[in-house]
Amino acid sequence: MRLSWDIFCTVIDNYGDIGICWRLARQLAQERKEPVRLWVDDLAAFARLNPAIDGSATQQHCDGVEIRHWCSPWVAVAPHAVVIEAFACNPPEAFLAAMAASQPKPVWINLDYLSAEDWVEGCHRLGSRHPRLPLTHYFFFPGFTPATGGLLREAGLLTQRAAFDQVEFLQGLGISPPQPAQPLVSLFCYDNPALPAMLQHWRLNQELTLLVADGKPRQQVEAWLERPFTVGSSIRQGRLLLHALPFLPQPDYDKLLWACDWNFVRGEDSFVRAQWAGQPLVWHIYPQDDAAHMVKLEAFMHRYSETLAAPAADSLRAFWRAWNHGDGKACSAAWPALAAHGPALRQQALRWCAQQTERPDLMQQLAAFATEKSTLPQ
């Protein structure tokens, strides 16, 4: 069944939400060859993520996707067959009214946040009637088990990873490949009080090359250095070599994760991409009120480390907890054990990646669900 898609996205925190929506929209257009219209409220942020985007255009096309500026006043359009609101971003009332007046009515899906918590399986695919309009709103949860919606993964992604040339990629960034005994680590995080202690620990104790993402990570490293750390610069501090990366578009960021021995990632989009990289990772989860994010962190750590030997699993949990609590002293104490278990954690990363690849990806599951609901009487 041929479908068409509206995807609504609000840019809440940097680039995570739009990063996920853009990957999904592009995959639908390129792999299913179906019409996709992506509504974005902050085109300037989108343009930084994808330099091909015109941040001032109200309507444009890129990679087969129609991109509209989600602005006020709303411009009336006929809804597509499937409407995805990403992360409960609430489409305009006028658009909901147009959905209610459509025959047949669109399949309306709230694409929710990723979580490994047990309750997600019970809520995945559930519907809720709109309080006023004749519309049903379905909840769709990405996840790590067969009872959830899977993860975003483009066709051929792992084949591209297998053919990846690390040396060529690093040279393109002006970076010489490190020696085998000198781990290559990517750093992408929220502001983290633990980072200065980790930088000091590495400076004194370990030969390590740190590739620092632009934005908050680079600014925090610059504050620690107490000197300029501009994009493209390299600075040695004791045993630690620092490189300030330019802002990388999504395809290049994926390659960065493939190139590194360890990946510090944050939020949801880079977290998922690090899992496809098949390398050891450290996750800085998005902080929430009342420490609700720590429940999500514990749920994922439990699933991810189930098949790990106890010492490696314990080292992972200890460092991840310390990193997410912003406890620099605990991070410095926990890092040597985590680093020592690097080979076991890399094998686990590859096992986990293969296990997740066995299931249909998020786009495929969304399309199957929308097709199923489109054929039901309304």
Side-chain angles (χ1 to χ4, degrees):
M1 180 177 183
R2 183 172 170 79
L3 301 169
S4 59
W5 305 76
D6 277 298
I7 302 175
F8 285 85
C9 176
T10 53
V11 181
I12 297 173
D13 179 74
N14 294 289
Y15 310 100
D17 294 340
I18 181 57
I20 292 166
C21 292
W22 176 235
R23 289 189 194 275
L24 174 60
R26 187 173 52 205
Q27 190 180 2
L28 285 165
Q30 295 182 352
E31 295 183 21
R32 289 184 60 87
K33 310 297 183 185
E34 292 174 339
V36 183
R37 187 165 50 197
L38 175 60
W39 300 89
V40 184
D41 67 339
D42 185 352
L43 287 173
F46 189 12
R48 187 140 192 250
L49 186 72
N50 181 354
I53 298 299
D54 181 349
S56 63
T58 57
Q59 183 177 356
Q60 58 193 298
H61 287 80
C62 183
D63 290 347
V65 177
E66 179 186 356
I67 298 161
R68 294 284 193 105
H69 187 203
W70 179 2
C71 57
S72 183
W74 177 254
V75 178
V77 295
H80 279 310
V82 186
V83 175
I84 293 180
E85 59 166 308
F87 318 118
C89 64
N90 298 317
E93 284 294 324
F95 189 80
L96 294 179
M99 289 167 58
S102 299
Q103 289 298 331
K105 293 179 178 57
V107 178
W108 180 17
I109 300 171
N110 175 39
L111 178 60
D112 220 312
Y113 289 102
L114 174 66
S115 177
E117 295 169 282
D118 291 338
W119 65 265
V120 166
E121 295 185 344
C123 295
H124 179 53
R125 296 169 55 104
L126 289 185
S128 174
R129 295 292 293 179
H130 191 279
R132 294 178 293 99
L133 300 172
L135 294 170
T136 299
H137 190 202
Y138 295 100
F139 298 94
F140 206 90
F141 286 87
F144 308 99
T145 70
T148 59
L151 304 172
L152 279 173
R153 183 185 75 250
E154 301 86 353
L157 178 66
L158 300 187
T159 301
Q160 295 171 29
R161 190 191 78 186
F164 169 66
D165 188 324
Q166 183 207 44
V167 173
E168 181 181 358
F169 174 73
L170 292 175
Q171 288 176 341
L173 294 174
I175 298 169
S176 300
Q179 299 300 314
Q182 185 173 355
L184 191 63
V185 180
S186 73
L187 176 67
F188 185 45
C189 60
Y190 303 109
D191 284 334
N192 194 325
L195 181 57
M198 280 307 305
L199 294 170
Q200 180 70 1
H201 176 84
W202 288 328
R203 184 181 77 83
L204 295 174
N205 297 290
Q206 184 172 1
E207 293 289 338
L208 185 143
T209 300
L210 191 66
L211 307 185
V212 182
D214 195 22
K216 292 180 185 294
R218 183 181 62 78
Q219 293 162 12
Q220 196 174 359
V221 171
E222 188 172 64
W224 175 74
L225 289 168
E226 297 183 330
R227 58 185 283 193
F229 187 47
T230 56
V231 169
S233 64
S234 298
I235 296 176
R236 177 166 286 281
Q237 289 285 296
R239 305 181 74 180
L240 174 65
L241 180 61
L242 297 149
H243 294 282
L245 296 175
F247 190 92
L248 298 175
Q250 284 180 328
D252 285 343
Y253 182 72
D254 288 345
K255 293 174 183 177
L256 174 70
L257 298 175
W258 301 345
C260 291
D261 302 297
W262 290 85
N263 291 305
F264 283 67
V265 292
R266 75 182 199 193
E268 183 171 327
D269 185 51
S270 64
F271 174 49
V272 171
R273 305 313 285 193
Q275 292 172 58
W276 297 135
Q279 299 284 18
L281 70 151
V282 176
W283 183 25
H284 195 184
I285 191 170
Y286 185 78
Q288 294 178 286
D289 295 335
D290 302 322
H293 60 293
M294 296 304 294
V295 177
K296 294 182 178 180
L297 182 76
E298 292 291 335
F300 179 78
M301 287 194 300
H302 174 72
R303 290 194 187 277
Y304 186 76
S305 62
E306 277 183 310
T307 58
L308 264 175
D314 291 344
S315 71
L316 181 146
R317 295 189 189 107
F319 189 87
W320 283 33
R321 286 169 184 150
W323 185 244
N324 281 278
H325 281 299
D327 187 336
K329 184 176 180 180
C331 279
S332 299
W335 174 259
L338 186 72
H341 290 293
L345 290 168
R346 184 169 192 276
Q347 289 305 310
Q348 170 61 13
L350 292 170
R351 282 195 301 268
W352 178 262
C353 178
Q355 176 185 324
Q356 295 302 316
T357 307
E358 292 173 357
R359 291 189 280 275
D361 64 65
L362 178 62
M363 185 276 288
Q364 292 172 324
Q365 294 201 49
L366 277 166
F369 179 76
T371 300
E372 173 192 323
K373 295 303 178 184
S374 295
T375 60
L376 297 177
Q378 301 189 32

